[in-house]
Amino acid sequence: MPIRLPRRRRVRAVLAVAAVLLMGCGPGTALTSRRSEPAYAGPLDAGVVRTSMGPVRGLVAPDYRVFHGIPYAAPPVGPLRWQPPRPALRWAGTLDASKPGPQCIQDTGRDLKEGKATNENCLTLNVWTPSSGHGATEKHPVMVWIHGGGFVNGSGDIYYSRWLAGKGRIVVVTINYRLGALGFLAHPALGAPGDIGNYGLADQQAALRWVRDNIGAFGGDPAKVTIAGESAGGMSVCDHLVAPGSAKLFRAAIIQSAPCQAQADPATAQRISLDYAAKAGCADPATAAACLRALPATALVPTLWYSHIGDSDALSGPVVGTTTLPVSPVAAIAAGSAARVPVLIGTNHDEFTMFAALRYLHTGHGVRLAEYPHVLADIFGADGKAVLARYPPDHYGGDVSLAYSAAVTDGVFACVADRMADALGRSAPVYAYEFDDPHAPAPELLRHAPFPLGASHSLELRYLFNVGGAPPLDPAQRVLSDQMIKYWSQFVTTGSPQTAGQPGWPVMGGDPGRWMSLRPDGSRVVTTFAESHQCPFWASLKGKS
């Protein structure tokens, strides 16, 4: 089911609450509350690696090394604002890579209060590697992680990857890319038709080229690169599967909780961009480009919204029909024209409960019964009546918010992933999962919602990365976390998550499809995913993707 584009201007107050709470909300959300640098397991020693731009000095712990804030492109400032990324400049001496660089310009109250700066000069990445105890000549497979945050906030530095590097023995690269208006403004004055917008997506491609050219110096294998991301990051992975400039830069892909159908079309993106520029004081088409580039970066913090899911969530992001992204990834995947690489794809059992909870916490109430038909119509258009009949509150204990959450979980996330997995599996191995911990730890504020969150959007991230913002995992959840780290690392290593000593994970193929259900009471293969999320119903609708 495609996400509907906006029919009117709306204030995204719910998203503003989420930005403070999670440091990113939207299809693209990551559980991204900031933490201080984790304590290392032993005394820190300096580690120096020589890159093509100069040497960098990182931090070394007994089981891993980390190099923060390495520039992978030139600062996109001044005349380079809204231009494709240029190569990074060489630096004199040895770069101090012991601390993350600034996050890209975004509207994030929490990090600014904590003293974490945002800056237009933000195109940096972080490299986490296993320790070199297995010999200096060993080359490790590489996972490039693309952060979520609705393409309007987030950063790579909050994904502490010590578990994947130390336990999984893979190299993990986490990246920053331009966000919001600075990353995706599609104003026609900024370039030739087809060459505007998608600057943030081009940044991600530049980071992948940096990895190809430099990761060998860190002990990574440039021939074994997997691109991975959650939410907006997963949506980015879908884009790279069909983007011409991303070809041959990776050999496998991981897509987590991604609304891969949510790209903007050129006409809508240009209309919204023109309105955005006018509100910024740059309404004259003849002078708009110079006017916009002369604005201080703080004038470009207000969010550029391209797509909405009702009144609960929104995102900026890539524009299709452009040189960087000529086609919709979901359409290209259905047509069999996406990159033919192994894919690990999945969703969370209760994706949308987080957004329903944020709506409740912002308004003081959930979706009211009288509002429910209008909310569904706003999201699903002419199919809203059919969705209402299929997801009545009576089926969810009379709770309208839970009915609403189930409808959007199934129609926007689960069944889109099911269709993509089926299509991708016709030409390459696909491994599908559903994260289904009904008691996954959530941020404290969200625990005040009057309904259970279950396995909601972004909550699986704490099982893979050392991120904060929620209570610690209990012993059973810790076991699940170790399982997931082994599955993900093995997929990055071999293109298959099959791991000795863990439940077998077959390719998805067949009808019904085989999905791995990741649960703290025992992970297992299930064949009921499409049925439990009512995917045949969603496939029957006129507005299906």
Side-chain angles (χ1 to χ4, degrees):
M1 173 63 58
I3 293 176
R4 292 175 63 78
L5 295 172
R7 293 177 296 185
R8 63 187 185 277
R9 283 290 182 185
R10 294 174 242 196
V11 177
R12 296 284 137 183
V14 171
L15 189 61
V17 172
V20 173
L21 178 68
L22 299 177
M23 187 43 209
C25 173
T29 299
L31 182 63
T32 55
S33 298
R34 286 285 299 149
R35 298 184 62 175
S36 59
E37 189 77 27
Y40 291 91
L44 296 180
D45 300 308
V48 177
V49 169
R50 296 189 180 278
T51 75
S52 59
M53 296 297 102
V56 298
R57 184 184 301 276
L59 301 170
V60 180
D63 56 342
Y64 67 97
R65 299 182 299 163
V66 60
F67 302 83
H68 289 299
I70 303 173
Y72 67 83
V77 299
L80 296 186
R81 184 185 282 178
W82 296 303
Q83 293 286 348
R86 303 293 199 268
L89 305 176
R90 292 190 62 84
W91 50 79
T94 299
L95 181 73
D96 179 7
S98 64
K99 296 180 180 179
Q103 298 178 356
C104 291
I105 294 291
Q106 55 191 283
D107 186 5
T108 67
R110 182 185 179 96
D111 271 11
L112 293 176
K113 291 176 183 176
E114 293 179 355
K116 179 64 178 179
T118 63
N119 197 297
E120 201 170 353
N121 179 8
C122 63
L123 299 186
T124 63
L125 51 77
N126 313 292
V127 180
W128 298 75
T129 80
S131 64
S132 57
H134 289 258
T137 61
E138 183 180 9
K139 293 296 183 183
H140 299 280
V142 181
M143 183 178 84
V144 178
W145 179 260
I146 306 171
H147 73 77
F151 298 103
V152 299
N153 48 31
S155 68
D157 66 276
I158 48 76
Y159 295 90
Y160 299 109
S161 304
R162 60 188 302 183
W163 298 337
L164 287 162
K167 296 179 182 179
R169 300 207 61 77
I170 63 174
V171 173
V172 181
V173 180
T174 67
I175 66 175
N176 289 347
Y177 55 93
R178 282 174 281 183
L179 302 167
L182 286 165
F184 299 96
L185 191 72
H187 195 291
L190 296 177
D195 289 335
I196 54 175
N198 293 337
Y199 308 105
L201 194 64
D203 292 342
Q204 296 173 13
Q205 293 173 331
L208 289 172
R209 292 191 295 270
W210 185 96
V211 168
R212 178 195 62 195
D213 298 338
N214 291 279
I215 205 64
F218 294 84
D221 188 341
K224 296 182 179 179
V225 174
T226 295
I227 54 173
E230 184 266 348
S231 204
M235 183 174 161
S236 298
V237 173
C238 286
D239 295 336
H240 292 302
L241 287 173
V242 303
S246 306
K248 300 183 180 180
L249 293 175
F250 59 93
R251 69 158 190 171
I254 298 174
I255 304 168
Q256 299 179 214
S257 299
C260 289
Q261 73 284 25
Q263 295 78 8
D265 65 86
T268 299
Q270 289 190 32
R271 173 176 55 80
I272 294 172
S273 295
L274 284 164
D275 183 59
Y276 186 96
K279 291 188 174 182
C282 300
D284 184 352
T287 60
C291 177
L292 286 164
R293 289 194 170 99
L295 290 174
T298 53
L300 299 164
V301 168
T303 306
L304 176 76
W305 297 126
Y306 280 157
S307 302
H308 301 281
I309 302 179
D311 287 323
S312 296
D313 199 24
L315 71 162
S316 184
V319 182
V320 298
T322 57
T323 303
T324 305
L325 189 62
V327 295
S328 160
V330 171
I333 288 168
S337 56
R340 298 186 176 186
V341 298
V343 173
L344 190 154
I345 184 172
T347 64
N348 294 355
H349 186 274
D350 309 291
E351 291 280 2
F352 210 68
T353 53
M354 172 180 289
F355 305 106
L358 289 169
R359 188 183 201 277
Y360 173 87
L361 293 169
H362 175 66
T363 64
H365 60 80
V367 179
R368 294 188 171 108
L369 184 61
E371 298 173 317
Y372 189 38
H374 305 290
V375 170
L376 293 180
D378 197 32
I379 302 172
F380 302 114
D383 292 323
K385 290 182 179 179
V387 175
L388 177 62
R390 193 77 177 190
Y391 291 82
D394 289 350
H395 289 182
Y396 300 89
D399 194 315
V400 182
S401 291
L402 286 180
Y404 166 56
S405 297
V408 183
T409 292
D410 295 353
V412 173
F413 292 97
C415 296
V416 173
D418 186 60
R419 290 196 296 276
M420 286 197 301
D422 182 66
L424 288 165
R426 296 173 194 145
S427 57
V430 170
Y431 301 89
Y433 76 88
E434 179 174 52
F435 175 76
D436 189 14
D437 181 355
H439 305 293
E444 196 274 335
L445 180 60
L446 291 177
R447 297 198 296 275
H448 293 286
F451 48 83
L453 293 183
S456 194
H457 195 66
S458 83
L459 297 188
E460 88 283 10
L461 294 176
R462 297 192 69 252
Y463 295 68
L464 296 169
F465 299 96
N466 185 24
V467 297
L473 304 178
D474 67 25
Q477 291 167 335
R478 185 73 262 164
V479 170
L480 176 58
S481 171
D482 289 341
Q483 275 191 343
M484 291 172 64
I485 289 166
K486 290 178 182 177
Y487 279 137
W488 263 243
S489 300
Q490 184 70 5
F491 179 81
V492 172
T493 301
T494 67
S496 166
Q498 296 287 3
T499 305
Q502 297 196 168
W505 189 337
V507 291
M508 184 200 173
D511 187 16
R514 294 172 291 184
W515 289 66
M516 175 60 74
S517 177
L518 298 167
R519 295 180 55 92
D521 62 352
S523 298
R524 80 250 4 207
V525 175
V526 299
T527 58
T528 56
F529 179 88
E531 178 185 354
S532 64
H533 290 287
Q534 307 196 55
C535 294
F537 161 75
W538 292 99
S540 72
L541 298 179
K542 295 178 181 179
K544 67 179 182 293
S545 298

